Amino acid sequence: MARLRQVLDTWHLRRVQSRWIRAAEGAAEAEPFALRSLRAEARSMRRQIDRLIHEADHRLGQPAIGAPLPRTPLGSDWVWRPDAWRGPLPQPGAVAREPRTGLCDTLALHHDCPLAEVSVRQTRNTDSGHRAPHGLTVEVFGFRGSYLSLAVDLPPQAVDGLKARHVIRLDALIETDRPLAAFARLNIQHGPNLAQMVSALSLDPQGNSPVEFDLAYAGLDDSRIGGGWVDLIFNDAAMTRIQLRDVVLSRRPRAEL
């Protein structure tokens, strides 16, 4: 039955196409009354066709929800794309008036600027090269503060079984409208202490910024690890648009020697 319906639909589509080809070829000699009728019908069809083309271009030109994670190093035992880059947020945007502006349970923007001229919003990525279905755009206008950072809390799975022999990797896809100094800082809570490791983000023309943190150099007491987060820090950010197209974190055990 489905096969028959498909055959009939194809036959009907060909008849409709043939009719409009004949109408277009004869439009120069058609009577005004018939031409008005054809024009009204064509405009009605065109609106629906344009709607379909617009929606198809919109959806097919974007990375899909659940887009695959980038390739991670062999031996990785945990890979994670934070919620802001994976699906719609309940609060898609905000003006960062306060020193801390939360977007969801695991994501917040921090700064010390007295001006309310920083905004952050979730955006829909439009290019398959962006990898993730969603991104974040931070727009900075006047800025008199000393720091601007985006903090991503690590989920429990990230620190479950975490040891000093692990390497944590950050893969970020970041675009800026002018050169900008940027850093990633890994923060791991162990007992009453906080271990921190900082690495520069080298924003190449494609925006790829992979960095790795070898916990062997963090001075961790890995029997007391309780949680952690990653800060993405941007210096001298005034009058800048920062587009974080994708952020993925992973970890792997370092090879034993």
Side-chain angles (χ1 to χ4, degrees):
M1 192 67 182
R3 175 64 177 167
L4 176 61
R5 187 179 298 111
Q6 183 180 4
V7 170
L8 290 174
D9 286 346
T10 301
W11 174 79
H12 180 67
L13 177 61
R14 287 175 178 170
R15 283 179 59 97
V16 171
Q17 288 175 333
S18 297
R19 179 193 171 214
W20 284 104
I21 289 171
R22 292 195 302 271
E25 290 174 345
E29 300 176 359
E31 295 292 331
F33 176 80
L35 199 58
R36 289 191 190 95
S37 177
L38 284 170
R39 182 179 64 182
E41 188 178 354
R43 283 177 172 171
S44 176
M45 291 181 62
R46 186 176 67 181
R47 280 195 293 271
Q48 305 309 317
I49 291 170
D50 287 345
R51 282 180 58 199
L52 178 109
I53 292 171
H54 176 77
E55 182 63 25
D57 287 345
H58 174 71
R59 292 183 57 192
L60 298 178
Q62 297 174 340
I65 298 294
L69 297 167
R71 184 176 298 174
T72 54
L74 290 175
S76 296
D77 58 13
W78 171 76
V79 185
W80 178 63
R81 174 181 279 140
D83 290 346
W85 290 270
R86 191 170 57 210
L89 292 176
Q91 180 183 347
V95 176
R97 296 185 177 91
E98 303 299 325
R100 181 189 185 279
T101 302
L103 291 175
C104 64
D105 291 342
T106 60
L107 180 69
L109 183 74
H110 298 261
H111 68 82
D112 63 349
C113 179
L115 306 175
E117 295 189 6
V118 180
S119 69
V120 57
R121 70 183 189 278
Q122 188 183 47
T123 52
R124 191 71 162 92
N125 285 335
T126 57
D127 190 295
S128 59
H130 294 155
R131 302 186 306 222
H134 294 272
L136 280 181
T137 297
V138 180
E139 292 193 90
V140 186
F141 300 98
F143 194 80
R144 297 178 186 168
S146 61
Y147 71 89
L148 174 72
S149 70
L150 194 71
V152 181
D153 290 343
L154 298 178
Q157 297 88 337
V159 295
D160 184 21
L162 187 67
K163 301 294 181 184
R165 60 184 293 261
H166 272 100
V167 176
I168 292 182
R169 177 183 172 99
L170 166 71
D171 285 277
L173 189 62
I174 303 172
E175 299 173 0
T176 59
D177 55 6
R178 67 177 182 84
L180 196 66
F183 302 87
R185 181 173 64 203
L186 175 67
N187 309 270
I188 301 291
Q189 191 79 44
H190 57 119
N193 301 312
L194 182 67
Q196 294 184 312
M197 304 184 75
V198 180
S199 181
L201 292 171
S202 56
L203 304 183
D204 64 23
Q206 287 73 44
N208 294 299
S209 306
V211 295
E212 293 189 340
F213 303 97
D214 189 337
L215 299 188
Y217 302 99
L220 278 177
D221 178 356
D222 56 19
S223 66
R224 306 181 70 186
I225 292 176
W229 71 95
V230 172
D231 294 312
L232 300 174
I233 303 166
F234 302 95
N235 287 351
D236 189 24
M239 304 305 295
T240 306
R241 173 182 293 175
I242 305 164
Q243 295 177 296
L244 298 101
R245 298 294 189 182
D246 194 14
V247 170
V248 173
L249 289 149
S250 62
R251 78 178 197 190
R252 71 181 188 278
R254 190 175 0 87
E256 295 282 7
L257 299 178

